[in-house]
Protein backbone atom coordinates (compact mmCIF):
# COMPACT_ATOMS: atom_id res chain seq x y z
CA UNK A 1 0.00 0.00 0.00
CA UNK A 2 0.95 3.58 -0.34
CA UNK A 3 2.82 5.01 2.66
CA UNK A 4 0.53 8.05 2.79
CA UNK A 5 -2.56 5.84 3.15
CA UNK A 6 -0.98 3.83 5.97
CA UNK A 7 0.08 7.02 7.74
CA UNK A 8 -3.39 8.52 7.33
CA UNK A 9 -5.03 5.40 8.76
CA UNK A 10 -2.54 5.51 11.64
CA UNK A 11 -3.56 9.09 12.40
CA UNK A 12 -7.22 8.10 12.25
CA UNK A 13 -6.60 5.23 14.68
CA UNK A 14 -4.71 7.63 16.96
CA UNK A 15 -7.68 10.00 17.00
CA UNK A 16 -10.11 7.19 17.80
CA UNK A 17 -7.86 5.91 20.60
CA UNK A 18 -7.53 9.38 22.10
CA UNK A 19 -11.29 9.93 21.94
CA UNK A 20 -12.04 6.57 23.53
CA UNK A 21 -9.45 7.13 26.21
CA UNK A 22 -10.88 10.55 27.05
CA UNK A 23 -14.38 9.11 27.36
CA UNK A 24 -13.10 6.27 29.55
CA UNK A 25 -11.15 8.63 31.80
CA UNK A 26 -14.16 10.93 32.13
CA UNK A 27 -16.46 8.05 33.07
CA UNK A 28 -13.93 6.69 35.56
CA UNK A 29 -13.47 10.10 37.18
CA UNK A 30 -17.22 10.57 37.40
CA UNK A 31 -17.78 7.17 39.00
CA UNK A 32 -15.00 7.79 41.53
CA UNK A 33 -16.44 11.19 42.43
CA UNK A 34 -19.92 9.76 42.71
CA UNK A 35 -18.77 6.99 45.04
CA UNK A 36 -16.85 9.47 47.21
CA UNK A 37 -19.85 11.79 47.50
CA UNK A 38 -22.19 8.92 48.38
CA UNK A 39 -19.75 7.56 50.95
CA UNK A 40 -19.33 10.98 52.52
CA UNK A 41 -23.10 11.44 52.66
CA UNK A 42 -23.50 8.11 54.46
CA UNK A 43 -20.57 8.48 56.87
CA UNK A 44 -19.33 12.08 57.12
CA UNK A 45 -16.55 11.14 59.57
CA UNK A 46 -14.75 9.17 56.81
CA UNK A 47 -14.52 12.20 54.52
CA UNK A 48 -10.72 12.48 54.71
CA UNK A 49 -9.95 8.86 53.87
CA UNK A 50 -12.58 8.74 51.12
CA UNK A 51 -11.20 11.89 49.54
CA UNK A 52 -7.69 10.46 49.54
CA UNK A 53 -8.87 7.23 47.94
CA UNK A 54 -10.83 9.19 45.36
CA UNK A 55 -7.70 11.14 44.38
CA UNK A 56 -5.78 7.87 43.97
CA UNK A 57 -8.47 6.41 41.72
CA UNK A 58 -8.72 9.60 39.64
CA UNK A 59 -4.93 9.64 39.29
CA UNK A 60 -4.94 6.05 38.04
CA UNK A 61 -7.70 6.83 35.53
CA UNK A 62 -5.77 9.82 34.22
CA UNK A 63 -2.49 7.87 34.14
CA UNK A 64 -4.12 5.31 31.86
CA UNK A 65 -5.18 8.10 29.53
CA UNK A 66 -1.68 9.62 29.52
CA UNK A 67 -0.20 6.20 28.69
CA UNK A 68 -2.73 5.97 25.85
CA UNK A 69 -1.53 9.30 24.47
CA UNK A 70 2.15 8.29 24.71
CA UNK A 71 1.57 5.01 22.86
CA UNK A 72 -0.45 6.86 20.22
CA UNK A 73 2.37 9.33 19.60
CA UNK A 74 4.83 6.43 19.50
CA UNK A 75 2.81 4.64 16.83
CA UNK A 76 2.46 7.82 14.75
CA UNK A 77 6.20 8.42 15.06
CA UNK A 78 6.99 4.89 13.88
CA UNK A 79 4.56 5.18 10.96
CA UNK A 80 6.09 8.52 9.92
CA UNK A 81 9.41 6.88 9.13
Amino acid sequence: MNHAIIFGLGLLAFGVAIGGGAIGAGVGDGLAGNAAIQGTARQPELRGSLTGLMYIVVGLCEAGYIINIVFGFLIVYVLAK
Side-chain angles (χ1 to χ4, degrees):
M1 289 180 81
N2 190 1
H3 181 68
I5 294 173
I6 295 173
F7 184 68
L9 290 175
L11 289 176
L12 180 66
F14 176 63
V16 170
I18 293 300
I23 291 170
V27 169
D29 292 348
L31 290 174
N34 180 29
I37 290 170
Q38 286 183 357
T40 302
R42 290 182 182 157
Q43 291 185 335
E45 65 273 5
L46 293 177
R47 180 177 177 233
S49 63
L50 289 175
T51 303
L53 289 173
M54 182 194 70
Y55 288 145
I56 291 172
V57 170
V58 167
L60 289 173
C61 288
E62 296 299 323
Y65 180 61
I66 297 296
I67 290 170
N68 189 15
I69 290 174
V70 169
F71 278 131
F73 279 126
L74 181 66
I75 290 170
V76 169
Y77 176 74
V78 168
L79 287 177
K81 285 189 173 190

